Amino acid sequence: MRTQDHHLEGLYGLPAFTFPAPGETTRLPEPDAVAWRIGYERWTSEEPWAETFGRFCAEVDTTRVRALIVGNWHDMESDDPSEVIEALLSKRDRLPALRSMFLGDITDIECKLSRISQTDVTPLLAGFPALEEFGVRAGEGVSMEGVMRLEFPALRHTALRRLTVESSGLPVEVVRGVGASDLPALEHLELWLGSSDEGVDCCEVADLEPILSGARLPRLRHLALRNSEILDEVAAAMASAPVVARLDVLDLSLGTLGDDGAAALLGGQPLTHLKRLDLHHNFLSEPFRQRIRQALEPAGVEMDLDQDDAESYVGGDGTVWREICVGPVSY
């Protein structure tokens, strides 16, 4: 099983730079030369995230900042990032050049992906209408107030070119919200659909139809539906999905794709126009991997068909269960 072992190394084509902790004398780079990470590795600093962000705004010319990476915010399992979102929105007038944001740059050792508390993140998109890239890692936290899951109600955003949502169990309402959104500039969409373990109400193929039709995504060129337990069904839908014809990259990696899904892909609409097909972490037999190569290599399609560390297990009734790459973790 894959883990989130490392923090982001960059964002928006800029190298990541962690804003120094209190007392550190690190020389600061130019404001527009890096993607600024706000937040420290868990257990290394007691300073609340909002205070770190306040120091950042006082010491850096934020009018030139182009990319922000939001790291740990206190206890990610029992606190959602509502205060983080409020702090960012309170300074939006001082961030006119901001074009990229990632919410939840949290490693596996700090907090398992499935346990990262989240909330409605769309106020950030509404508050930053010039944002071109937005990414988030999301799980399901629990507090005295209840379950804290990611929310993404439908919205319109005319500047967003790249949207990434990493999850081990993406709520169906989020998928529906993305599908119902008007995102005319979106070129890259990456959704980690996850699995329904621990009672998460994940999507079915029918919930993906607005995305697969491409009606609200006229500029989409990179579609990644990853880390999913229903990839055979998704692959079957791709065989006739209108959006596929205009894609440069199709990514169905990190999930449970097997020979049935591969057969559907090969039997559907041509994929020879693709620049890249990513199916890594799969359960394909060697004959099907060979069939895919034979179909697409002559057209120059770059492919990743590696199985990596894909794992399966046999249940008590003899049923074979395939594991997605990053699944829910129980404590």
Side-chain angles (χ1 to χ4, degrees):
M1 178 178 294
R2 175 172 299 188
T3 56
Q4 304 294 330
D5 291 329
H6 305 288
H7 289 290
L8 292 177
E9 296 181 355
L11 193 68
Y12 202 59
L14 302 171
F17 178 84
T18 301
F19 183 71
E24 291 184 1
T25 57
T26 306
R27 181 177 178 179
L28 299 181
E30 291 296 315
D32 56 359
V34 298
W36 294 87
R37 179 184 291 110
I38 312 298
Y40 308 111
E41 292 186 7
R42 197 173 186 181
W43 309 293
T44 63
S45 175
E46 296 296 322
E47 184 177 49
W49 192 95
E51 290 186 18
T52 305
F53 184 61
R55 287 193 302 107
F56 167 75
C57 291
E59 298 178 31
V60 175
D61 180 3
T62 57
T63 63
R64 296 171 55 195
V65 170
R66 294 191 290 163
L68 280 177
I69 300 171
V70 175
N72 294 316
W73 57 82
H74 191 53
D75 187 346
M76 293 77 67
E77 296 177 27
S78 58
D79 297 323
D80 69 38
S82 295
E83 292 186 2
V84 171
I85 293 172
E86 291 174 6
L88 289 165
L89 292 175
S90 72
K91 301 296 185 182
R92 58 187 165 187
D93 292 341
R94 296 182 57 183
L95 292 162
L98 188 66
R99 295 295 180 267
S100 184
M101 184 187 304
F102 192 94
L103 178 64
D105 183 28
I106 299 164
T107 64
D108 188 69
I109 195 170
E110 293 166 327
C111 183
K112 300 293 186 182
L113 177 61
S114 62
R115 296 304 190 194
I116 298 175
S117 298
Q118 274 298 347
T119 185
D120 184 355
V121 297
T122 55
L124 288 171
L125 291 168
F128 292 93
L131 207 63
E132 297 175 5
E133 298 181 354
F134 181 76
V136 60
R137 286 183 183 152
E140 178 181 292
V142 180
S143 71
M144 295 289 290
E145 288 72 34
V147 176
M148 293 172 289
R149 293 178 178 171
L150 178 68
E151 297 177 27
F152 198 104
L155 81 165
R156 176 173 172 80
H157 196 290
T158 59
L160 196 67
R161 294 187 296 105
R162 185 183 185 101
L163 175 61
T164 300
V165 183
E166 299 179 2
S167 177
S168 60
L170 196 60
V172 63
E173 291 82 4
V174 173
V175 176
R176 292 171 180 167
V178 172
S181 294
D182 285 319
L183 304 170
L186 198 71
E187 300 170 359
H188 180 120
L189 176 61
E190 179 176 342
L191 301 178
W192 293 30
L193 302 178
S195 75
S196 56
D197 289 354
E198 297 186 350
V200 177
D201 187 13
C202 291
C203 76
E204 299 178 355
V205 170
D207 301 304
L208 296 167
E209 193 280 331
I211 295 172
L212 300 184
S213 76
R216 293 189 179 91
L217 304 170
R219 297 187 62 183
L220 193 67
R221 296 297 179 267
H222 183 129
L223 177 59
L225 300 174
R226 315 177 73 194
N227 199 48
S228 172
E229 66 180 359
I230 61 167
L231 277 188
D232 278 348
E233 293 90 337
V234 171
M238 288 293 180
S240 59
V243 74
V244 172
R246 69 172 96 115
L247 295 180
D248 293 328
V249 178
L250 176 59
D251 184 341
L252 302 179
S253 64
L254 306 184
T256 61
L257 184 71
D259 288 354
D260 288 346
L265 281 176
L266 291 171
Q269 61 186 304
L271 300 176
T272 51
H273 66 286
L274 294 175
K275 294 180 180 178
R276 178 174 173 80
L277 176 66
D278 191 345
L279 305 178
H280 80 273
H281 186 283
N282 60 68
F283 295 84
L284 299 175
S285 65
E286 183 55 37
F288 266 95
R289 279 197 291 276
Q290 187 60 28
R291 284 179 58 184
I292 294 172
R293 293 188 190 100
Q294 291 173 347
L296 301 183
E297 276 184 351
V301 180
E302 179 185 347
M303 289 170 281
D304 188 343
L305 307 179
D306 291 346
Q307 288 188 302
D308 289 348
D309 56 352
E311 298 179 353
S312 62
Y313 65 93
V314 180
D317 60 356
T319 302
V320 177
W321 297 94
R322 301 169 181 170
E323 293 188 347
I324 61 173
C325 194
V326 188
V329 177
S330 299
Y331 290 112

